[in-house]
Amino acid sequence: MIITIDGPAGSGKSTAARKLAARLGVPYLDTGAMYRVVTLAALRRRVDLHDDAGLAEIARGDDWDLDPGPTHIRATLHGDDVTEEIRSMYVADHTRFIAASPSVRAVLVARQREIGARLGSMVTEGRDQGSVAFPNADVKFYLDAAIDKRAERRFHELLAEGEEVSMADVLRNLAERDESDSRRAVAPLRRPDGAIDVDTTQLSIHEVVDRMAAEVERVALLPSGASTEARES
Ligand code: C5P
């Protein structure tokens, strides 16, 4: 069973994906981590961030890897663990160039589909999982929340990771990413057809996961093939 979760930064996707996957006993895939690790690799190699072919070469290369597990995701670059480094504001400030590269997106979507085929069942989250990577997913969710709430969550996460950031920096970064994620020419962030909307502004993470798990259970109990009609009805 493939379950997709899409939505803007700070909507609670990553935590929801991790907890939902743990509850269902399947791996989760954080596709934002793929864009982040390619961003870090490009920055380290000082590749021109507008050079589509140069960026694609990095995305295709075998010097980065992601290990999707039930409760964690580990990112490595040249064998070094960069799981924490890819969460920094420095990386977040540059992901939009990598996310706008059509060739990088093609490479990463192909890699996501390979992982999905290999694992059989997973929860995968990002900006284009239900719309582009897995349009025939069994269950699709679209998470969103008010920008102030999203910025507040991201701010507390960054502080907990020891970053010295201001709330104003986080708001600016989110607004920039919202803008470029929804306006870019390839795979812009949009609500996938047939997705179940979850507004997380006023919900705790437990409420979000309970709601999602109930939907997954409902779809799993439907006769095969009936899930799409049920979502669209
Ligand atoms: O979800 P996260 O904030 O880690 O994603 C980092 C960046 O990667 C996003 O701002 C977005 O530009 C990009 N991204 C994307 N498509 C995905 C996942 C992430 O364009 N499926």
Side-chain angles (χ1 to χ4, degrees):
M1 181 180 237
I2 301 286
I3 299 163
T4 62
I5 308 180
D6 291 295
S11 57
K13 295 184 308 293
S14 300
T15 313
R18 209 170 51 236
K19 289 188 179 284
L20 180 65
R23 198 182 287 191
L24 300 173
V26 299
Y28 92 99
L29 181 63
D30 170 0
T31 63
M34 293 180 155
Y35 289 87
R36 286 171 181 266
V37 75
V38 173
T39 304
L40 181 62
L43 289 168
R44 283 198 185 167
R45 282 226 226 142
R46 297 179 192 279
V47 171
D48 174 359
L49 299 184
H50 294 97
D51 173 9
D52 190 59
L55 293 175
E57 203 183 305
I58 291 190
R60 261 194 302 271
D62 57 6
D63 44 4
W64 66 271
D65 204 7
L66 276 196
D67 173 17
T71 55
H72 70 285
I73 190 136
R74 189 167 161 267
T76 49
L77 181 58
H78 305 296
D80 293 338
D81 190 326
V82 291
T83 312
E84 278 183 24
E85 195 174 351
I86 60 169
R87 303 271 143 225
S88 67
M89 278 290 274
Y90 171 60
V91 170
D93 270 337
H94 295 91
T95 51
R96 66 181 182 282
F97 300 104
I98 279 62
S101 155
S103 306
V104 169
R105 298 204 74 87
V107 171
L108 296 188
V109 166
R111 202 141 158 176
Q112 291 152 16
R113 289 180 179 153
E114 269 167 39
I115 295 173
R118 178 162 48 82
L119 296 175
S121 286
M122 68 173 179
V123 176
T124 178
E125 56 108 341
R127 304 292 189 289
D128 59 347
Q129 295 302 284
S131 55
V132 176
F134 300 98
N136 299 319
D138 299 278
V139 193
K140 303 180 192 181
F141 291 102
Y142 187 73
L143 265 56
D144 205 350
I147 189 160
D148 294 8
K149 188 76 188 179
R150 294 192 282 121
E152 192 187 304
R153 287 178 186 148
R154 205 55 207 117
F155 178 61
H156 289 296
E157 272 169 27
L158 288 164
L159 283 190
E161 284 158 17
E163 278 231 23
E164 285 187 17
V165 282
S166 68
M167 183 69 178
D169 285 342
V170 176
L171 251 175
R172 176 195 47 75
N173 173 265
L174 280 194
E176 267 175 24
R177 287 205 282 154
D178 279 0
E179 166 84 7
S180 57
D181 282 343
S182 50
R183 280 177 180 257
R184 67 171 167 247
V186 265
L189 170 66
R190 62 177 173 82
R191 183 186 170 279
D193 289 342
I196 298 160
D197 289 297
V198 184
D199 183 335
T200 69
T201 312
Q202 309 282 354
L203 299 178
S204 70
I205 184 63
H206 301 292
E207 290 169 319
V208 172
V209 176
D210 281 350
R211 196 171 285 193
M212 294 170 97
E215 289 290 350
V216 172
E217 196 176 329
R218 191 175 71 84
V219 171
L221 293 174
L222 292 170
S224 65
S227 58
T228 317
E229 296 100 81
R231 272 201 309 270
E232 283 164 2
S233 65

